[in-house]
Amino acid sequence: MSEAPQDPWDRYGWVMAAIWLIFLAYPVVAAATLDTGWVWRVVGVALIVTYAVVYLHGFIRLPAACGDKERTALGVRHLAVMLSLIALASLVIGWNALGMTPFIVSFAMFTLPLRWAGAVYGTTLLGVLGLPLLAGLFAELFFFGIIVGGVGFATGVIRLFDDRQADHKEASTQIAIASERERVARDVHDVLGHSLTVISLKAELAERLLDADGSTAAARAEVRQIHDLSRQALAEVRSTVGGLRIARLADEVVAARAVLADASIEASLPDDLSVVDPRHRIVLAWSLREAVTNVVRHSGAAHCTVEVGPDELVVTDDGRGLNGFREGNGIRGLRERVEAAGGTLTLGRGPQDAGSRLAVHL
């Protein structure tokens, strides 16, 4: 089984995180211009560069984290290291280390559960505003609080959208899987229902031939047809599962003529199919197959008539009608197929209130 292509955001999302590292320029400049000697300048810059590396490493490793627990563990580990580096940097560059705090908020928003990320956001904002206030430096440092507040709000909105998008994607995937299952179930039913009906009729006919006159030649011919039909049904099932099965209207008319004859039902079938709009022929072919299968199985009819038009198919019989009839998987699946093509299927009693009538209009 081939692997799904990797999401470009998973492969290159860290580039977006790297762009924002430009805002570390403020604490870097503060460290590089210290008047306490070149050693402390080097130490200060090294701490900030290490901080940037840890931050980027977390985003690079994030796509490989499988599941919420692993993602959370990755976030906690990296945030612990980043907070430690901020604490060490504050010993070197002082209050300028507050310029490193917005990255704590943004990293938490994309790695931790949303409630945890909100707690980190609130705590960081409280610290960035509260500590300068206690130190009497609020007027000089309040802008750090504005930056942290803006970063937290922006990344929080992005996180909410990402979560909703993930939920939508998951729901869409489940719907697609369910739709494909219904398609396969519908197609397999149509293929097997028709083929097994014909095989059953052929087997009964072969048995009657043997019982009637002991003639093996005719019976052998019927058995050979059963063998061919079985192989054809197997091929059709494989094609259906692979999504390749396409019914052709002309083939279904030929098949309907044969199966009705085997069931000793007189058939009136259309000779000119050119009147049918090519856009509708596949759906009408499936409709004809299911309708004829039901006539053979359930109607007990002596005559069946099939009529086609540019956008319709009508199948009537003179059998027992719909008394006690319950709509099964075949008709239900056909109705879904017709409605998906923008059409309608009606099933009722035939002309003069006898037999049954199935009509498909597209």
Side-chain angles (χ1 to χ4, degrees), residues 288-345:
L288 176 59
R289 167 175 283 214
E290 179 62 25
V292 170
T293 300
N294 282 335
V295 169
V296 172
R297 278 182 175 176
H298 308 300
S299 72
H303 187 272
C304 175
T305 300
V306 177
E307 300 172 290
V308 296
D311 54 6
E312 67 177 356
L313 168 78
V314 179
V315 179
T316 57
D317 66 72
D318 59 358
R320 63 177 62 95
L322 301 177
N323 294 330
F325 173 79
R326 295 179 61 185
E327 187 171 297
N329 292 331
I331 293 297
R332 189 179 305 113
L334 178 59
R335 189 183 304 279
E336 292 173 357
R337 191 192 297 275
V338 171
E339 290 177 353
T344 58
L345 182 150

Side-chain angles (χ1 to χ4, degrees), residues 312 314-317 322 346-351 354-359 361:
E312 67 177 356
V314 179
V315 179
T316 57
D317 66 72
L322 301 177
T346 56
L347 182 63
R349 299 191 65 82
S356 61
R357 178 180 185 272
L358 182 145
H361 297 274

Side-chain angles (χ1 to χ4, degrees), residues 24 47-55 82 85-86 100 103-104:
L24 283 178
L47 287 171
I48 298 170
V49 170
T50 303
Y51 180 86
V53 171
V54 173
Y55 172 79
M82 291 167 66
L85 290 170
I86 290 178
M100 302 164 69
F103 298 91
I104 294 290

Side-chain angles (χ1 to χ4, degrees), residues 80-271:
V81 176
M82 291 167 66
L83 286 170
S84 299
L85 290 170
I86 290 178
L88 292 174
S90 67
L91 298 177
V92 179
I93 62 176
W95 291 103
N96 291 315
L98 292 178
M100 302 164 69
T101 55
F103 298 91
I104 294 290
V105 174
S106 64
F107 190 80
M109 282 295 180
F110 292 111
T111 58
L112 300 183
L114 195 55
R115 290 184 179 179
W116 292 22
V120 170
Y121 174 37
T123 302
T124 304
L125 184 59
L126 182 63
V128 170
L129 292 175
L131 292 176
L133 183 63
L134 293 175
L137 299 173
F138 184 78
E140 293 86 350
L141 302 175
F142 76 93
F143 63 90
F144 284 122
I146 296 175
I147 295 173
V148 170
V151 169
F153 177 79
T155 54
V157 171
I158 294 173
R159 171 65 183 274
L160 287 172
F161 284 163
D162 281 347
D163 287 354
R164 298 294 80 77
Q165 183 180 17
D167 293 342
H168 176 268
K169 184 178 181 179
E170 176 65 20
S172 299
T173 300
Q174 294 300 322
I175 291 172
I177 291 173
S179 298
E180 183 63 10
R181 285 175 177 168
E182 291 177 358
R183 181 196 70 80
V184 172
R186 183 170 60 241
D187 289 358
V188 168
H189 174 276
D190 292 347
V191 168
L192 287 182
H194 177 79
S195 299
L196 293 179
T197 298
V198 178
I199 289 172
S200 177
L201 289 171
K202 293 288 185 182
E204 291 177 2
L205 180 57
E207 184 179 8
R208 288 200 301 268
L209 288 171
L210 288 173
D211 292 340
D213 55 11
S215 173
T216 60
R220 185 178 292 110
E222 296 297 330
V223 171
R224 187 180 302 112
Q225 291 185 35
I226 291 175
H227 178 259
D228 293 340
L229 283 168
S230 301
R231 295 183 63 182
Q232 177 185 345
L234 180 59
E236 288 178 336
V237 168
R238 288 172 176 168
S239 297
T240 298
V241 173
L244 304 176
R245 173 65 180 163
I246 299 178
R248 296 182 57 197
L249 185 57
D251 293 342
E252 295 305 326
V253 170
V254 173
R257 192 184 306 277
V259 72
L260 290 170
D262 288 339
S264 301
I265 299 176
E266 183 182 354
S268 297
L269 298 169
D271 296 321

Side-chain angles (χ1 to χ4, degrees), residues 259-283:
V259 72
L260 290 170
D262 288 339
S264 301
I265 299 176
E266 183 182 354
S268 297
L269 298 169
D271 296 321
D272 183 13
L273 300 178
S274 63
V275 298
V276 181
D277 190 324
R279 296 174 300 170
H280 303 321
R281 290 178 185 176
I282 292 177
V283 176

